[in-house]
Amino acid sequence: MSSAPATDVAGLLSEGSAVMRLAQRFREHGHELYLVGGPVRDMLLGRSHSDLDFATDAAPEQTKALVQPVARNLWLQGEAFGTIGAEIEDLHVEITTFRTERYEPMSRHPEVDFTSDITTDLSRRDFTINAMALRLPEKEAVDPFDGVSDLRARCIRTPIDPQVSFTDDPLRMLRAFRFASQLGFAIEGGVLATIARLKGQLETISAERIRDELSKLLVGEKPARALEQAAETGITDVFLPELSALKLEQDPVQKHKDVFHHTLAVLEQTPPELKLRLAALLHDIGKPKTREITPAGVSFHHHEVVGSQMAAHRLRELRYPNEVVADVSQMIYLHHRFHTYRLGWSDAAVRRYVRDAGSLLGDLDRLVRADCTTRNTAKAKQLALRMDELEERIAELASREELASIRPDLDGFQVMAYLGTGGGPVVGEALEYLLELRMEHGPLGADAAYEYLDRWARARGIEPAGERVDPKPKKSRDPA
């Protein structure tokens, strides 16, 4: 079921609203309905929430019968686990029969036992701040594990013994850090100690479930502290061992920056967008493998190349989509190139930078700016001015050239006609040659490009046919 836009939960509980009419319908048929979990938490925090979660004593088939007449759409994928999904007016709702659940190793689906009361249902939820409910239509609060107090204290705590809770579903250990990031809350000491003791159980969880929690953690408001604590417990070693590896010993000659805490600072200086945050998290993971200490100090030559390869491997292990893997690894590969700008870039170098970045140019810019975490204000200002200058040069070149889609001045059709060949490797080599000319000199125009192509061919013993033709028309995307 797709997520609805975030909305004010309290406003949905007014008299006569779709939610209250739904609750009244359940009551008239002898069943209880409770708003539970995240929506209750976010309502108390004054935050918006998207989908609404309900719990009921009605069996799944009874829920389906009650909801179907008033729903635009119905989703039954979770019926075996007690959940009926529906779209009612503009709301996306999930209604689940009171239950307890636990996950078997490597399973994406819980083993479910239905229960008869709301307290037992709430007791098997992950944290007290998610184990609160509102009985509807009365709006009567149900808080058997004092989640309201934990909200006030900004504390993440399990409603039952954390060892039992985390054994039922080890992913809850990572989820604790996700909520710490999203809400800026502290994790209770006993919970942290249990995570440190049970962290190995996370190895039984599928990569896809770990990926989803990590993604939510990264785009939270406070990911740095959450990841720092996660690393302290050792749980990140299970799915992201490269993070703790950044805790390098300082060299004895010229103390370099703490790469681990630098990475966390960069992470929080980037906007909360998944690809950008992943690139920030992984941008320096090549440093431990490339670290060299010399009398002159420490160096990390080509760490961006090694790091790009390591990041691609780690993201594939976590089952991120191919597009995410490609874009994040490319940003990491390119993020250090800017630091050679102070040596002086020709227009050709600027063109290559834009071409290699492609559609990632804006994100790459933001990553490079975030990568400056120095406390030296003069140095930070200098780096920012250089970045401003590079952006101005890119904009100036773009006003004269099609930087966003740099290509040779002749296309393959024209090259084949001029060389008198039907294709083959020589055409690709010729186009690569013309592209390099385009990068080096800017737009040449067809006449000059043909002259260069003629000299290039004759130098290779090829007698050109000399036929000049118009570019091959591009296929229209208009279905008409």
Side-chain angles (χ1 to χ4, degrees), residues 42-351:
D42 287 344
M43 181 180 67
L44 294 174
L45 290 173
R47 293 162 55 98
S48 58
H49 199 88
S50 51
D51 302 331
L52 298 182
D53 297 319
F54 297 89
T56 181
D57 61 341
E61 60 272 16
Q62 294 172 318
T63 297
K64 183 167 59 175
L66 286 169
V67 170
Q68 196 159 26
V70 297
R72 290 179 183 172
N73 294 295
L74 213 60
W75 292 275
L76 305 177
Q77 296 94 325
E79 185 174 7
F81 306 103
T83 299
I84 303 297
E87 183 182 10
I88 300 175
E89 294 187 0
D90 294 326
L91 302 176
H92 288 171
V93 304
E94 288 190 351
I95 305 173
T96 302
T97 302
F98 296 154
R99 71 184 191 183
T100 63
E101 63 182 46
R102 69 183 305 275
Y103 284 81
E104 286 299 317
M106 304 308 293
S107 173
R108 298 183 188 180
H109 303 296
E111 286 191 358
V112 170
D113 290 319
F114 295 123
T115 185
S116 59
D117 67 287
I118 185 66
T119 300
T120 302
D121 178 280
L122 294 176
S123 74
R124 306 306 286 205
R125 293 177 182 264
D126 51 10
F127 305 108
T128 60
I129 58 173
N130 298 327
M132 299 178 290
L134 277 182
R135 184 173 183 255
L136 301 177
E138 295 84 358
K139 303 182 192 176
E140 176 187 327
V142 180
D143 184 18
F145 305 102
D146 209 11
V148 169
S149 293
D150 286 337
L151 277 183
R152 293 195 187 106
R154 302 175 65 82
C155 176
I156 295 172
R157 182 174 61 86
T158 56
I160 59 175
D161 184 339
Q163 174 139 344
V164 176
S165 182
F166 295 153
T167 300
D168 282 350
D169 183 5
L171 188 66
R172 288 172 176 169
M173 293 186 286
L174 182 54
R175 194 175 297 148
F177 300 106
R178 185 251 282 191
F179 282 116
S181 171
Q182 289 180 327
L183 302 175
F185 283 16
I187 302 173
E188 190 263 334
V191 171
L192 284 172
T194 304
I195 292 173
R197 188 169 64 252
L198 300 182
K199 59 183 180 292
Q201 292 192 18
L202 193 67
E203 294 176 357
T204 67
I205 299 299
S206 69
E208 290 84 356
R209 293 185 71 211
I210 291 173
R211 173 202 65 204
D212 291 345
E213 288 297 329
L214 175 62
S215 296
K216 292 172 184 176
L217 186 163
L218 289 178
V219 298
E221 295 180 8
K222 301 291 182 181
R225 179 57 181 155
L227 280 173
E228 183 176 37
Q229 282 198 310
E232 287 171 357
T233 67
I235 197 171
T236 55
D237 293 342
V238 175
F239 61 93
L240 190 64
E242 296 85 356
L243 184 61
S244 290
L246 295 175
K247 297 178 180 180
L248 301 172
E249 293 182 4
Q250 292 189 336
D251 66 278
V253 179
Q254 180 181 328
K255 293 185 177 181
H256 61 269
K257 286 187 294 185
D258 179 338
V259 182
F260 176 78
H261 286 97
H262 162 74
T263 293
L264 298 183
V266 174
L267 182 66
E268 288 207 344
Q269 288 184 182
T270 55
E273 299 167 13
L274 182 58
K275 288 183 186 178
L276 198 51
R277 286 269 170 101
L278 282 168
L281 177 67
L282 303 174
H283 78 284
D284 274 347
I285 61 171
K287 282 190 170 180
K289 286 190 175 182
T290 58
R291 180 170 177 255
E292 292 184 29
I293 297 177
T294 69
V298 67
S299 66
F300 305 98
H301 292 306
H302 304 302
H303 76 274
E304 70 280 9
V305 178
V306 174
S308 175
Q309 296 167 348
M310 292 173 63
H313 170 75
R314 178 54 52 202
L315 294 174
R316 283 193 291 267
E317 289 287 302
L318 288 168
R319 304 294 189 269
Y320 276 97
N322 291 336
E323 179 191 358
V324 173
V325 175
D327 288 352
V328 172
S329 58
Q330 181 70 350
M331 278 192 276
I332 293 171
Y333 179 77
L334 293 173
H335 86 276
H336 204 249
R337 188 182 296 185
F338 166 75
H339 294 285
T340 66
Y341 185 71
R342 62 186 174 81
L343 303 177
W345 278 11
S346 64
D347 284 351
V350 175
R351 292 187 193 101

